[in-house]
Amino acid sequence: MKSVQIIKLAGTASIAMSLLLTSSSLTTIPAHAAAASTSQNKVTWSTLDVKHKPYTNKGVVFVPLKEVSEQLQLQLQLTTPGKNELYINSPIQSVRITIGQSRAVNAKGTALKLEAAPVVKKGVTYVPASLITKAFGIPLKYDSKSGLRTTFDAWSKYAYASKANMLFWVNRENGMLSMGKAGSTPAQVGMIPVEEIDQVSLSAHRINSNTYVVDLSNYYGEPHIHEGRYRVLIQDNKILKLSKTNHSNFAGINYKPDQLSYKGNIAMMNGSTLELVHPTGKTVKSYDLAAITGVEDSFIVEAIEQDFLLVRPYTKATLYIVHPTGKTAKLIYPELLDEETIKVIEEMPPNEVGFIGDGLTYTGYAGGKLTFQYNNPFLGQKEKRTYTLPF
């Protein structure tokens, strides 16, 4: 998941290169700003790992913006093509800075005076550390021996994603989802009821000008073999519909994401029930995959075409082809694989590490034929297979 979208702009090569090579926005708290409610001997300072070292100029500490931002979960966005300015965004604040200017402007239009102007050095954007402290309340300090340090633990509090200039954040503690355009203060969209929230990743998709889909994946348990998948349909900054599926992946299979949509309708999986949902939130069609396939399990929908659907139960991880009417389904691998491979699939326990299911990956459809890439590293097999549509 890319949290920062890099855009190359004519005439703004310096800032574009700085976004590529620098870190995100952290700030070094100068002595006069470092007065906190707790004394230094009562807090833990953690070192930030940055490739491009901070430096001091005339008593001002400068930090590499892109690297620091990534570690503090601050998202960067260029503003307008042709301008050497960008937004630094957090779940509660956004600040616009301009290279060479010693002031920043927050989402409310309030100017923030900086100790020095942001600069670009060898393609890397550096900002005064005090900018991040002043704008986002993130304490930073730097010396050549201990490096760049902070007490801020944002990396454990939020997961984030972006789609163009629309930014999304989810609070890892309570599942609250927020969103907003770069340069604005994000608004709370609603709560995602994530069970045992732990290792969270987020991705975002634009459906139309006021409609987005956010996918959240949560790995949890000890070890982290359990996954919860959540898909959220958002319109006008409100959650219209939410779906979720939980499964246990004892074998360590690399499952594909659910297909996003088909003909403008969003694919939303609730365990074994697939709904095709209009962007307005209305369900257009639903499929009871357990009833259609005869398999009591949660499912992934890997492909939706005009002539068929491809679905995979989590436990056995073997693809079924489903008629678009939902009246019939057929297991694919018995017609594509040899007897030895079929025997391995049917006899190997699906919860055993190394079990891969049928090893089939869908690659395309044309002329009534589906193509698959078959890969079984344990049998040393890797080749393309063709399957004729059975309906």
Side-chain angles (χ1 to χ4, degrees):
M1 164 184 55
K2 275 197 181 278
S3 60
V4 178
Q5 198 169 39
I6 305 305
I7 309 170
K8 292 186 178 179
L9 303 172
T12 59
S14 62
I15 192 168
M17 284 302 296
S18 79
L19 287 178
L20 282 168
L21 297 176
T22 331
S23 301
S24 64
S25 21
L26 277 193
T27 250
T28 314
I29 286 189
H32 66 271
S37 58
T38 55
S39 60
Q40 287 190 3
N41 60 5
K42 290 185 180 180
V43 297
T44 300
W45 289 85
S46 301
T47 302
L48 296 170
D49 184 16
V50 293
K51 177 181 177 182
H52 299 89
K53 291 184 178 180
Y55 67 92
T56 302
N57 183 21
K58 296 180 179 179
V60 178
V61 176
F62 287 81
V63 296
L65 180 60
K66 182 173 178 290
E67 285 181 85
V68 172
S69 295
E70 289 170 350
Q71 294 187 58
L72 295 185
Q73 298 188 344
L74 299 172
Q75 298 198 58
L76 303 182
Q77 292 280 337
L78 294 177
T79 59
T80 306
K83 291 188 177 181
N84 281 338
E85 62 181 27
L86 57 91
Y87 292 116
I88 307 171
N89 306 276
S90 82
I92 58 174
Q93 182 61 279
S94 179
V95 172
R96 185 180 76 247
I97 65 168
T98 303
I99 303 301
Q101 291 189 11
S102 58
R103 74 167 197 155
V105 180
N106 67 20
K108 294 181 179 180
T110 303
L112 305 175
K113 184 174 175 57
L114 307 180
E115 288 186 306
V119 298
V120 176
K121 298 172 73 70
K122 296 183 179 180
V124 177
T125 296
Y126 291 86
V127 299
S130 55
L131 163 65
I132 308 305
T133 298
K134 188 177 283 189
F136 303 101
I138 300 175
L140 292 171
K141 63 181 180 181
Y142 173 74
D143 61 66
S144 58
K145 181 178 180 180
S146 301
L148 182 62
R149 292 180 291 164
T150 182
T151 62
F152 192 63
D153 64 349
W155 49 83
S156 64
K157 189 172 183 180
Y158 293 97
Y160 60 90
S162 66
K163 190 64 180 179
N165 69 337
M166 186 63 74
L167 311 178
F168 300 85
W169 315 80
V170 67
N171 188 310
R172 296 177 187 269
E173 295 175 352
N174 58 22
M176 176 59 72
L177 178 66
S178 301
M179 66 180 288
K181 290 184 178 180
S184 67
T185 303
Q188 291 187 344
V189 175
M191 202 83 74
I192 303 178
V194 184
E195 298 178 19
E196 299 185 47
I197 191 166
D198 195 349
Q199 294 185 1
V200 173
S201 62
L202 210 64
S203 62
H205 318 271
R206 184 179 184 272
I207 305 303
N208 55 45
S209 61
N210 64 339
T211 309
Y212 290 83
V213 167
V214 169
D215 286 331
L216 182 151
S217 177
N218 176 48
Y219 287 94
Y220 59 96
E222 287 295 341
H224 289 75
I225 58 174
H226 307 288
E227 183 191 13
R229 291 187 177 192
Y230 301 78
R231 177 163 285 177
V232 185
L233 176 61
I234 304 165
Q235 189 172 84
D236 295 326
N237 290 0
K238 294 181 180 179
I239 294 178
L240 285 184
K241 198 173 184 66
L242 181 145
S243 63
K244 66 176 182 178
T245 296
N246 288 288
H247 74 97
S248 297
N249 185 3
F250 293 93
I253 300 170
N254 185 24
Y255 293 110
K256 292 185 65 176
D258 291 301
Q259 178 163 321
L260 175 63
S261 62
Y262 175 69
K263 290 188 174 181
N265 296 315
I266 316 304
M268 305 193 76
M269 285 298 312
N270 277 294
S272 62
T273 300
L274 166 64
E275 293 181 82
L276 297 180
V277 180
H278 189 269
T280 59
K282 180 181 178 181
T283 299
V284 176
K285 187 173 180 60
S286 63
Y287 296 86
D288 184 344
L289 300 178
I292 297 169
T293 62
V295 178
E296 291 293 334
D297 201 352
S298 294
F299 284 77
I300 303 163
V301 55
E302 294 193 1
I304 306 175
E305 306 281 6
Q306 180 176 342
D307 298 328
F308 63 89
L309 295 80
L310 290 179
V311 301
R312 189 188 301 270
Y314 278 100
T315 304
K316 291 293 291 184
T318 50
L319 279 174
Y320 285 78
I321 187 165
V322 178
H323 193 279
T325 62
K327 293 182 178 179
T328 184
K330 192 171 184 180
L331 195 57
I332 293 175
Y333 78 84
E335 296 185 26
L336 289 184
L337 307 179
D338 57 44
E339 290 185 7
E340 179 186 8
T341 305
I342 291 173
K343 186 177 180 180
V344 170
I345 294 171
E346 294 178 349
E347 294 184 357
M348 185 174 183
N351 61 351
E352 184 173 314
V353 174
F355 180 78
I356 62 169
D358 57 20
L360 295 172
T361 301
Y362 174 63
T363 57
Y365 173 65
K369 294 185 180 297
L370 292 77
T371 54
F372 295 90
Q373 176 69 43
Y374 171 67
N375 184 23
N376 191 322
F378 301 101
L379 298 178
Q381 299 173 336
K382 185 176 183 179
E383 54 194 40
K384 292 182 179 179
R385 300 292 173 92
T386 301
Y387 180 78
T388 302
L389 187 70
F391 311 125

